[in-house]
Amino acid sequence: MNRSGVAKRIVVGVDRSFAGMQALRRAVQLARHDGAQLDAVRAWVFAPTWRPGTLTWRWQDECDRAAQVYLRGVFDAALGGLPRDLAVRLVVTQGYAGQVLVDHAHRDTDVLVLGSPERGRFGRSRGHVTRYCVERAAVPVIAVPAPSWARAATIRRFAHDLERFSR
């Protein structure tokens, strides 16, 4: 606990990319080191293509459940399951990822951990969520790159094809 009596919290944005899974591993390390709670956050957006207001609550519940399954799947892929030695809270929220993460990581003691995609052709980062959070978060943000082996062009193409065909 810190002086204000609020426990430290590590907030991690979760996705299935190599950088996202590396960020999850880093967040777990930080939470273990600091004795902090780990909040794993997955944001999702529901945009119906039919007339708004038509049975959307049923689809929203289903999207919420699917996001929970997704979160657990990323923990399984990155760490072999939820860590038993940490207080882990799975947070699923409807909204745009950057805004959800900035809103969730708002305490003075929070640290926000995100996967950082590689730079594009002209030096601009491809990660609009990471850029959004770095620019707007009121807490420290740690942008974690993908492992070095995952940055090769061939591996990226393979990962893209694998994810596309595994859906």
Side-chain angles (χ1 to χ4, degrees):
M1 292 244 182
N2 63 4
R3 282 181 261 152
S4 64
V6 178
K8 187 166 185 174
R9 195 169 60 159
I10 306 296
V11 178
V12 59
V14 177
D15 74 10
R16 215 179 303 189
S17 68
F18 289 129
M21 288 194 280
Q22 190 72 0
L24 180 59
R25 290 183 200 104
R26 180 70 178 126
V28 167
Q29 288 175 345
L30 285 171
R32 282 183 178 137
H33 180 266
D34 295 345
Q37 174 181 316
L38 179 70
D39 281 10
V41 179
R42 177 70 183 169
W44 58 272
V45 177
F46 179 75
T49 56
W50 61 88
R51 188 178 69 194
T54 309
L55 299 174
T56 57
W57 59 272
R58 289 185 182 168
W59 289 100
Q60 289 172 340
D61 289 344
E62 186 61 32
C63 289
D64 235 14
R65 283 190 293 276
Q68 284 281 348
V69 169
Y70 181 94
L71 262 176
R72 289 186 179 278
V74 175
F75 269 95
D76 290 344
L79 301 165
L82 291 169
R84 296 177 192 266
D85 60 335
L86 288 176
V88 178
R89 189 170 145 227
L90 302 179
V91 180
V92 173
T93 304
Q94 181 180 5
Y96 293 99
Q99 185 65 50
V100 166
L101 290 164
V102 167
D103 289 348
H104 190 80
H106 64 277
R107 298 179 188 166
D108 290 341
T109 58
D110 288 349
V111 175
L112 179 57
V113 182
L114 303 164
S116 176
E118 68 179 57
R119 296 252 179 227
R121 282 188 181 168
F122 303 106
R124 287 193 54 134
S125 173
R126 294 182 187 166
H128 67 282
V129 172
T130 304
R131 190 169 51 247
Y132 181 94
C133 292
V134 167
E135 291 171 356
R136 291 176 177 83
V139 300
V141 177
I142 299 173
V144 181
S148 59
W149 59 265
R151 292 184 219 150
T154 306
I155 297 297
R156 284 193 308 275
R157 279 193 304 274
F158 173 73
H160 175 72
D161 290 343
L162 183 63
E163 186 166 320
R164 187 176 64 181
F165 292 120
S166 65
R167 289 183 186 177

